[in-house]
Amino acid sequence: MATKKVLFITGVSSGFGRALAKRALSEGHRVVGTVRSLEAKETFELSHVGHAFGRILDVTDFDAIPAVIAEVEASVGPIDVLVNNAGYGHEGVMEESPLDEMRRQFDVNVFGAVAMMKAVLPFMRERRRGHLINITSMGGFITMPGIAYYCGSKFALEGISEALGKEVKPLGIAVTAVAPGSFRTDWAGRSMVRAPRSIADYDAIFDPIRAGREAKSGKQLGDPEKAAAAMLQLIESAAPPAHLLLGGDALALVRDKLSAMSAEISEWEKVSRSTDG
Ligand code: NAP
């Protein structure tokens, strides 16, 4: 039987984080989960007494993170797997969306995840083992109008994960960016921040996208419980990948993007080569 691990998962109150915590607990692992209210902490800890440990933390409270990690290492045990799951989607036409909303999007989805990894890495380096998992998105590979800030944040996290993976592989630490397609979580519902409309020029391109996403919320293709099972498989892997897509939609859309990009690179190859020498 596989060894039981300590998982630290940010954002276990709903969606992927909750499903992954539940699955990991049911398989005998111990899970430290972050939440943002006392009520959510109690609900989480009662879900599996003695194995589920709640910690109240907003991932943008960067200065608080190192102490939370150090305390968990001392009281619960060595963290084997960190899952940076906490995050949200900002939806809005870029020109209409205030820069402050971009800062918030990057604070949560990028800076929060990096701050968590920085806090855990000294412990993992000392042990020469560990697995950092960052939940990105298919929006970290493909883009669509109306989610520029979100895609920017997820492209950033994909890039950081991949580069970090190369830095820490010789130290026995794996980094995986997990990019889900559309799943039935609270992402497009209560969690989404929607910038108000102000420029009529964008009505034609953007209004159908916003309406479509609202209508689809709760009916997406992906099942978070199946994502949790896939992530547990990832955690058990002796050779985890740098990138893992989840969902048939993510697979098809990312493959299309990569082949379109490859075709465009070829089309412009002569110009690209013209700058050498
Ligand atoms: P969700 O159901 O809305 O869950 C988001 C979780 O993140 C909640 O636990 C939330 O806590 C937490 N969170 C948000 N901001 C936080 C902050 N500043 N500090 C600490 N915790 C925070 O949505 P989800 O789909 O499971 O989202 C999880 C991750 O998957 C996100 O990174 C999201 O971008 C990514 N993702 C989702 C989809 C999808 O289709 N669902 C697709 C690709 C990627 P509260 O309950 O306190 O708000």
Side-chain angles (χ1 to χ4, degrees):
M1 200 160 99
T3 338
K4 299 307 169 198
K5 296 189 158 102
V6 173
L7 276 67
F8 189 113
I9 307 171
T10 60
V12 293
S13 58
S14 69
F16 288 129
R18 183 170 60 193
L20 177 60
K22 190 176 148 206
R23 178 94 192 195
L25 288 164
S26 76
E27 293 191 7
H29 301 291
R30 283 179 299 153
V31 178
V32 184
T34 74
V35 288
R36 291 196 288 179
S37 71
L38 195 56
E39 196 192 342
K41 180 176 183 284
E42 282 168 7
T43 304
F44 179 62
E45 290 185 334
L46 286 174
S47 72
H48 202 125
V49 176
H51 275 68
F53 307 88
R55 293 292 181 272
I56 296 178
L57 180 71
D58 188 302
V59 296
T60 63
D61 193 356
F62 308 126
D63 293 341
I65 292 174
V68 171
I69 295 297
E71 180 275 318
V72 165
E73 283 269 336
S75 70
V76 180
I79 297 165
D80 298 297
V81 184
L82 167 68
V83 184
N84 275 315
N85 162 74
Y88 74 95
H90 175 275
E91 184 198 75
V93 169
M94 198 203 78
E95 192 184 344
E96 292 178 341
S97 302
L99 276 183
D100 276 349
E101 292 186 2
M102 179 178 176
R103 280 198 191 96
R104 177 75 190 159
Q105 180 76 106
F106 275 67
D107 271 350
V108 177
N109 291 7
V110 184
F111 285 78
V114 171
M116 293 297 309
M117 292 192 286
K118 278 177 172 291
V120 172
L121 271 168
F123 297 98
M124 290 188 170
R125 273 193 297 105
E126 196 179 336
R127 293 190 282 272
R128 290 292 193 264
R129 70 182 160 80
H131 194 174
L132 304 171
I133 297 177
N134 293 318
I135 309 300
T136 59
S137 170
M138 65 179 172
F141 289 91
I142 63 148
T143 60
M144 66 185 79
I147 49 168
Y149 292 171
Y150 182 68
C151 288
S153 74
K154 295 300 189 178
F155 269 65
L157 192 54
E158 279 283 334
I160 290 167
S161 298
E162 194 181 286
L164 175 67
K166 292 171 182 171
E167 293 172 359
V168 298
K169 192 174 181 198
L171 308 176
I173 301 163
V175 185
T176 305
V178 173
S182 293
F183 279 72
R184 297 185 294 277
T185 70
D186 290 348
W187 183 82
R190 60 134 189 143
S191 299
M192 181 156 265
V193 172
R194 293 181 158 90
R197 297 296 329 281
S198 57
I199 308 173
D201 278 348
Y202 294 109
D203 288 0
I205 186 120
F206 180 64
D207 285 354
I209 291 175
R210 173 162 283 176
R213 182 170 290 117
E214 269 163 350
K216 211 176 117 190
S217 181
K219 305 184 194 104
Q220 295 94 330
L221 176 68
D223 176 349
E225 308 236 332
K226 291 184 177 163
M231 285 192 261
L232 256 301
Q233 214 179 310
L234 169 72
I235 287 163
E236 301 299 350
S237 165
H243 303 276
L244 176 66
L245 300 172
L246 295 181
D249 52 353
L251 260 180
L253 290 163
V254 172
R255 278 200 171 123
D256 283 355
K257 156 83 188 250
L258 294 177
S259 61
M261 204 170 170
S262 175
E264 193 177 72
I265 287 171
S266 299
E267 195 186 330
W268 286 85
E269 184 167 347
K270 237 180 163 170
V271 177
S272 300
R273 288 194 185 284
S274 70
T275 57
D276 293 349

